Amino acid sequence: MRVFVIGGGGREHALVWKLRQSPAVEEIYCAPGNAGIDELATPVAIDPSNVAALVAFARDQAIDLTVPGPELPLTLGIADALEAQGLRCFGPSRAAAQLEGSKAFTKELLGECGIPTGFYGSFTDAAAARRYVREVGAPIVVKADGLAAGKGVVVCGEVAEAERAIEEMMESRVFGDAGATVVIEEFLGGEEASFMAVTDGSTVLPLASSQDHKRIYDGDEGPNTGGMGAYSPAPVVTPELHEQVMAEVMRPLVAGLAKRGIRYRGVLYAGLMITSAGPKVLEFNVRFGDPECQAILLRMRGDLFELMQATVDGRLAETRIEWDDRVAVCVVMASEGYPGDYEKGRVIEGLQDLRGWSNGVVFHAGTTAGRNGEVLTAGGRVLGVTALGADVAAAVGEAYAAVERIRWPGAQYRRDIAHRALRASARS
Ligand code: AMP
Ligand code: GLY
């Protein structure tokens, strides 16, 4: 079988690494790939936003299964475009991908399905949005409707701050058209958790639980990032909570989409706030989380390619996923300055020593191969050092021992990844 993975981050390295282990997979292509991916897959120089070129490549190369990693090609309709050519895609249609592409769409659907989430208002008029925040008061959350590279959410402690966010999004258009519509939402307090599942549009098969760390600094301080680390399982997702999320969120959502005539195929990712009144939905993503994917795939037993095929074919009712009992921890190493501006092209040292690492994998994110075989930094998040251990402390120890063997000028990483899981395991 010939597989085409789209993307060039840590998530895509993990996907390619896992797909490589499938006996059915003969050839993997990856657009655009990175220095780590390129050792396992043939690189393809097409941008993940160029849907027409990606589809033409899949057709010309007789690709059996295309796997988009990031949301952008999905919200641009790559699954529909592939299907129109008779080609298979592990990922939702454009209509289903609105779950990530439009917050207003999602909030309306959640209401329709009776799924717990914060109260909200959706606005295309800035004056009406301001009136609403004055009426409701702070704390309050202002969200650009469309995709804004993870920056379109402002949690506001004061009404004045919310009014500023409305002005920036709707009037100054700092996120372009993504801010034409703004969703203003109730502030929810509690601990956050991610919940991922694969679905074929009728069966919902949960993946192992996981949690990421969004802030740049230790203690969950500083600006938001794409994710500075992750671990699986996440103790916050108890067996009871797991059942509750499946019954109150995941199954009703997939059924609600089906009722609208939208069949969801692929990974569905719910961002949840575990409040004193139970789990409430913050957002949905229509793809694997990055770096949650790196931690989860290290624990997945069995064949990812077969799981993806069963999803596309609608055979998940007869499918099981088995998980390694060990804990996986992923520590992201990032460029100096990230999530702000950063330089590229710094030489990464120490990777060679970790080639035979038996308890983990160094997934590449923003890397590129230099002229003389060296590996260079090429992005904000550079590596996802991911380890398995018998318990959280062992996995954390193993991951950080590997991190300490990797060096480049200005490398930064958090030293407290999995701190909540460590505390939870100390309590039990
Ligand atoms: P989102 O992109 O919707 O996940 O939002 C990014 C981050 O903003 C989340 O991970 C939360 O930390 C925070 N956030 C989003 N919505 C809310 C809310 N209604 N209440 C409190 N925090 C929120
Ligand atoms: N780690 C969060 C995300 O992938 O959206």
Side-chain angles (χ1 to χ4, degrees):
M1 290 284 172
R2 299 159 68 73
V3 182
F4 183 27
V5 175
I6 297 168
R11 166 182 52 210
E12 289 77 25
H13 190 184
L15 288 168
V16 167
W17 170 83
K18 188 69 183 164
L19 288 165
R20 251 284 154 244
Q21 295 166 24
S22 167
V25 173
E26 287 141 5
E27 198 74 56
I28 307 181
Y29 297 88
C30 187
N34 62 36
I37 292 172
D38 296 355
E39 292 184 8
L40 304 170
T42 306
V44 179
I46 304 175
D47 193 85
S49 65
N50 191 348
V51 168
L54 294 166
V55 173
F57 178 87
R59 187 194 54 219
D60 294 347
Q61 296 295 323
I63 295 295
D64 296 295
L65 182 69
T66 298
V67 182
E71 62 278 11
L72 187 60
L74 294 165
T75 57
L76 293 174
I78 193 166
D80 313 71
L82 286 164
E83 199 169 315
Q85 304 267 349
L87 296 166
R88 295 158 65 80
C89 179
F90 177 82
S93 63
R94 183 205 288 262
Q98 288 179 87
L99 273 180
E100 182 160 0
S102 167
K103 296 194 154 70
F105 169 87
T106 301
K107 286 299 244 183
E108 195 187 306
L109 183 64
L110 289 172
E112 212 173 281
C113 304
I115 296 172
T117 187
F119 66 74
Y120 78 108
S122 170
F123 301 91
T124 49
D125 175 50
R130 282 197 194 89
R131 273 200 302 279
Y132 186 77
V133 298
R134 281 186 212 131
E135 203 179 290
V136 176
I140 188 98
V141 185
V142 180
K143 301 185 174 187
D145 178 62
L147 294 181
K151 293 182 185 137
V153 175
V154 188
V155 178
C156 306
E158 282 163 43
V159 169
E161 201 183 342
E163 291 190 31
R164 261 198 314 279
I166 290 166
E167 188 198 319
E168 284 176 4
M169 288 181 196
M170 303 189 83
E171 289 165 350
S172 312
R173 291 292 174 99
V174 292
F175 305 119
D177 288 345
T181 300
V182 157
V183 166
I184 297 174
E185 192 179 72
E186 176 187 6
F187 172 84
L188 299 170
E191 185 170 349
E192 281 186 69
S194 332
F195 195 101
M196 276 184 264
V198 285
T199 176
D200 56 13
S202 53
T203 302
V204 183
L205 212 54
L207 299 177
S209 65
S210 62
Q211 197 161 14
D212 74 341
H213 294 267
K214 290 205 170 65
R215 307 294 197 94
I216 184 76
Y217 300 129
D218 287 10
D220 298 311
E221 304 276 347
N224 261 321
T225 70
M228 291 301 289
Y231 52 97
S232 171
V236 62
V237 185
T238 59
E240 298 74 44
L241 183 66
H242 179 100
E243 268 322 301
Q244 198 180 358
V245 173
M246 285 298 286
E248 293 178 9
V249 178
M250 305 307 271
R251 289 195 200 101
L253 183 83
V254 171
L257 282 167
K259 215 164 131 196
R260 284 195 181 192
I262 301 173
R263 178 166 169 210
Y264 195 106
R265 277 182 294 197
V267 173
L268 187 56
Y269 171 133
L272 304 168
M273 189 67 85
I274 313 307
T275 71
S276 50
K280 295 193 178 185
V281 172
L282 293 179
E283 60 157 355
F284 282 105
N285 296 319
V286 297
R287 45 158 180 89
F288 282 103
D290 184 343
E292 293 95 319
C293 181
Q294 292 86 309
I296 282 183
L297 290 187
L298 214 57
R299 294 186 58 220
M300 185 186 278
R301 292 220 170 105
D303 192 321
L304 178 62
F305 178 73
E306 291 304 334
L307 176 65
M308 290 177 164
Q309 292 279 65
T311 306
V312 179
D313 290 339
R315 287 187 285 106
L316 284 182
E318 54 197 70
T319 304
R320 294 268 168 286
I321 314 176
E322 307 269 349
W323 302 99
D324 193 319
D325 286 335
R326 287 176 293 174
V327 174
V329 169
C330 172
V331 178
V332 169
M333 299 182 74
S335 291
E336 182 175 13
Y338 176 79
D341 294 339
Y342 52 83
E343 263 179 52
K344 299 178 184 177
R346 299 198 173 156
V347 178
I348 305 171
E349 286 177 284
L351 290 171
Q352 209 60 32
D353 304 348
L354 287 160
R355 276 188 176 267
W357 187 19
S358 52
N359 294 324
V361 184
V362 180
F363 291 119
H364 288 225
T367 67
T368 188
R371 281 210 197 103
N372 308 312
E374 72 277 39
V375 177
L376 307 175
T377 65
R381 290 190 291 172
V382 176
L383 300 170
V385 181
T386 313
L388 285 169
D391 56 22
V392 195
V396 164
E398 186 74 28
Y400 280 104
V403 163
E404 275 155 28
R405 293 164 75 171
I406 301 171
R407 298 165 305 279
W408 73 85
Q412 58 162 337
Y413 56 88
R414 282 182 55 164
R415 282 154 220 271
D416 66 344
I417 296 304
H419 64 86
R420 285 195 202 84
L422 275 172
R423 275 204 304 278
S425 73
R427 277 199 301 270
S428 63

